[in-house]
Amino acid sequence: MTAIHPANPASKPSSPPQPAPSWHGRDLVGLQGLSRAELVSLLTASRDAAHKIEQNALDPVLRGRVVATMFFEDSTRTRSSFTVAAQRAGASVVDLSGGSSSVNKGETLIDTARNIEAMGVDAIIVRARQSGAAQIVAQAVACPIINAGDGRHEHPTQGLLDTLTIASRFGRDSTFDLSGLNVVIVGDIASSRVARSGIAALTSLGAHVTCVGPSSMAPSSLSALGCAVAHELDPLLPTAHAVMMLRIQFERADTDTPTGNKSEQVKKSVIASIREYRRFYALSAERAAKMRQGAIVLHPGPINRGIELDADVADGPRSVIMQQVTNGVAVRAAVLSLLVGGPRP
Amino acid sequence: MASLLITGGRVLDPSSGRDEHADVAISGDQIAAIAKNLPRSPADTVIDAAGCLVTPGLIDPHVHLREPGHEHKETIATGSRAASVGGFTAVCCMPNTSPALDSPELVRFVYDRARTASCRVYPVAAATKGRKGEELTEILLLSEAGAVAFSDDGDCVPTAGMMSRVLTGVKQTGRVFMQHCQDPTMTRGSSMHAGAISQRLGLVGWPRAAEEVIIERDIRLNRGVGARYHVQHISSGESVDIVRRARAAGQPVTAEASPHHLLLTHEACDQYNTLAKVNPPLREKSDRDAIVKGVADGTITVLATDHAPHSADEKALPFEEAPMGLVGVEIALPLYAEALVHSGAITWNRLIELLTIEPARLCNLDRAGLGSLKVGGPADVTVINPDLACTISNAALIGKSKNSPFDGRSVRGRAIATICNGAITHRVGV
């Protein structure tokens, strides 16, 4: 097994307690560059929101607020999750997504965002196919922006929900100190915003993260993100506490919009064939059996069943995939409440 | 009798080895005299060059003037004005216009537009029709019409088969072929250097090898042809090694370096800074150092800005969609000085050589007397105050587009007067 380790171990010594950082009026564009205290404050609020949602007791701190979803790329679950979260927290939601938006008529991202802001919304949740799009929108408007995925860059609420799910499962959700936990991320890391956000949060909190995939999907330069890089999955399974399977992103394999059937897409992709990929990187029931007791399997969805993840594993006892979805609503409700709740600026 | 007198400066003409304090007298469009204490008449316009370098007019062999087709970014008029402010008296404009400069008629169009420009403008013609890499242009007719060089700049001649026909065709003209070295199959979707920053930002990386394989290929193809082959805007440290080896083996290979590749690295792209998005991309410190070293040891003999204007709206697009390129012709001189002279890599004398006689020879402009200061030669002169400090301000740029990543940088060394064909095209501190 070849593993390239980052120059600087990500685990940081615990610092003395400090007042929780304020999120009021800020943007959430990414998790890279956030301090440990900032991450912990988001995760703590997310954990509390999860408990309150469970008891049907979430405070409607966003009552009277309007949140806009601006999705320029296909999404069902993320947009729904944000909508449910905003409504649970008391906000109303206006959706300006896909075909209904004038970006398809040539309007720029910035103009669209400024128009939506001028309507008087309190926050904009943006998803776009271009890396860096959320930052562009954040610079163009004054209201808080939440990045719901920008190209290959970041998907911060997904990174938070993955981290919350792992921390909860291993009893680390009081301090969110993840030292000693081994997290293995499998698949097309290079194209994955889910991985970039996850790596940023997990390594910052002390977890040891290894990215695994064929060299085209897991190039050694990924170590710049603070993770280790490996090309063999099997040797990592016995020591992993959490294995995060990524979706094979046929739609991101080429800059063109996807056309044709799946085998057509594979041709454009960075993998030679699905069978070759499965042979080395799919989490089959047989591979899952090599995992340690109590180890968990995550997937950000939607799953290509039978490609990166077998149905037996996705629906099996190690799977926390449904917990991820539930936590997603809690994370988004907490983030919206922190950024938008409280007195109007 | 002189009509313009430049007094008391250090006259530097690397083409003849002249380096002395003297006056330069200009009469009409010619240099009338170069000597100490020239007589002056009251009718003369006098430029006091005390403490300044008096050099042949600077030549930039690689600019984009965007005309015809993209006049919202730049025109021959605005781009040549920016060039004169930067100290340049001649520029060679690249053919990636719309339509591409691929016919003698379009070459003549550029010359026609350039008649009222602020500096001499020489078109570089496309080597393949529409710069598509599929069909040869009328290279002989283009040369006859006055194309000073050939290039598909902005795109690489992609296949070995076409490239070998291009080299053979260009060889017959005695002109140079300038290659934009980029294997297009290696850069699909790429928008910046492949490294730690591209990984953090989630941008598809642009490997060094995309440049290196083309240079290696072309040098091999050219072995049996012997055309003059020029590597544009070199970006990779190993590319410099490849050029060095080829030159040592006696091959007719030259290369140019641009201010941004001499000073910046991929770190400039952080925060999705589209002003630093350029083709080829800014790379790492080791590459930057190798390019400076290449200039210092004589591997790289030409400096070129690759002045590439784009509108603010275009540069406001998301990083992957924003166009590649940055402006530079106005501010290049102090940037070259910072990277090469203030750093101790080369002398002012050599810097002037890289900006005058070397690019003149590259584009056969030396045959018209450009690139040197000679009595009876064309009156193209640049007066440089090497110590004049200023801060680069994009808002203050006079070109049509303001897309420079050097905004706010403190620099030293500036053209205080530019004389093109006997006329003062730029003067500060009057």
Side-chain angles (χ1 to χ4, degrees), chain B residues 42 64 81 91 104 128 132 162 217 230 245 276 366:
Chain B
H64 298 270
R81 210 151 67 82
V91 297
T128 70
K132 291 185 194 302
M162 179 51 68
R217 178 199 74 180
H230 179 71
R245 282 197 300 272
D366 57 327

Side-chain angles (χ1 to χ4, degrees), chain B residues 240 244 288-301 350:
Chain B
V240 179
R244 186 180 289 118
R288 188 187 63 184
D289 293 348
I291 295 168
V292 171
K293 183 167 172 280
V295 174
D297 71 13
T299 301
I300 296 165
T301 55
R350 177 63 181 157

Side-chain angles (χ1 to χ4, degrees), chain A:
Chain A
M1 169 191 153
T2 52
I4 298 140
H5 289 278
N8 298 315
S11 179
K12 298 170 186 171
S14 57
S15 47
Q18 286 169 348
S22 171
W23 282 96
H24 186 63
R26 288 174 62 181
D27 304 309
L28 184 64
V29 168
L31 303 183
Q32 298 180 61
L34 291 188
S35 70
R36 187 173 181 140
E38 286 170 327
L39 285 167
V40 170
S41 70
L42 293 173
L43 289 163
T44 304
S46 301
R47 174 203 64 202
D48 294 347
H51 292 154
K52 285 185 176 166
I53 288 171
E54 208 172 0
Q55 294 152 17
N56 208 9
L58 190 71
D59 303 326
V61 296
L62 299 182
R63 188 172 287 152
R65 302 302 173 91
V66 180
V67 170
T69 51
M70 202 169 101
F71 278 55
F72 300 123
E73 196 180 53
D74 287 347
S75 161
T76 308
R77 73 188 60 207
T78 302
R79 183 156 49 87
S80 308
S81 176
F82 268 109
T83 303
V84 170
Q87 288 175 345
R88 289 250 183 213
S92 49
V93 180
V94 55
D95 179 39
L96 300 131
S97 293
S100 64
S101 109
S102 30
V103 163
N104 294 329
K105 300 171 194 160
E107 189 176 46
T108 68
L109 213 54
I110 292 173
D111 283 339
T112 306
R114 282 187 180 147
N115 273 276
I116 292 171
E117 186 188 36
M119 293 171 196
V121 303
D122 295 286
I124 300 173
I125 296 154
V126 62
R127 165 171 287 193
R129 67 175 194 285
Q130 309 98 334
S131 300
Q135 183 188 298
I136 287 180
V137 173
Q139 283 165 353
V141 301
C143 74
I145 296 298
I146 299 169
N147 181 6
D150 61 332
R152 299 169 167 86
H153 178 224
E154 284 237 33
H155 190 355
T157 57
Q158 179 75 43
L160 290 170
L161 76 87
D162 291 339
T163 306
L164 176 62
T165 304
I166 293 169
S168 304
R169 266 308 165 111
F170 292 96
R172 306 291 183 93
D173 58 351
S174 53
T175 61
F176 292 98
D177 180 350
L178 304 184
S179 25
L181 293 186
N182 295 320
V183 179
V184 174
I185 306 180
V186 188
D188 190 359
I189 323 288
S191 301
S192 175
R193 56 195 176 205
V194 172
R196 276 187 184 73
S197 291
I199 293 164
L202 292 164
T203 56
S204 181
L205 296 169
H208 184 264
V209 178
T210 308
C211 293
V212 195
S215 47
S216 57
M217 294 178 164
S220 58
S221 54
L222 278 171
S223 60
L225 305 179
C227 56
V229 179
H231 304 305
E232 287 181 63
L233 174 58
D234 289 321
L236 296 166
L237 290 173
T239 54
H241 295 87
V243 176
M244 193 187 292
M245 303 303 297
L246 297 178
R247 169 183 165 74
I248 296 296
Q249 304 207 48
F250 294 103
E251 69 274 14
R252 226 179 287 289
D254 198 273
T255 46
D256 302 334
T257 27
T259 48
N261 56 29
K262 200 151 272 181
S263 69
E264 203 46 44
Q265 291 165 2
V266 167
K267 280 182 199 157
K268 288 184 178 177
S269 172
V270 285
I271 58 172
S273 70
I274 289 171
R275 72 174 185 177
E276 183 188 66
Y277 184 83
R278 277 187 57 74
R279 168 74 182 81
F280 295 97
Y281 301 108
L283 194 57
S284 58
E286 190 191 6
R287 280 210 172 93
K290 294 184 194 166
M291 291 170 65
R292 53 182 284 154
Q293 200 176 5
I296 58 174
V297 174
L298 299 91
H299 192 294
I303 303 169
N304 296 307
R305 279 178 186 257
I307 298 182
E308 70 265 5
L309 190 57
D310 281 5
D312 289 353
V313 183
D315 306 329
R318 295 186 186 282
S319 170
V320 293
I321 294 169
M322 287 305 119
Q323 190 60 49
Q324 287 175 275
V325 176
T326 305
N327 282 341
V329 173
V331 164
R332 285 155 188 145
V335 166
L336 278 166
S337 301
L338 284 171
L339 270 53
V340 187
R344 276 206 166 85

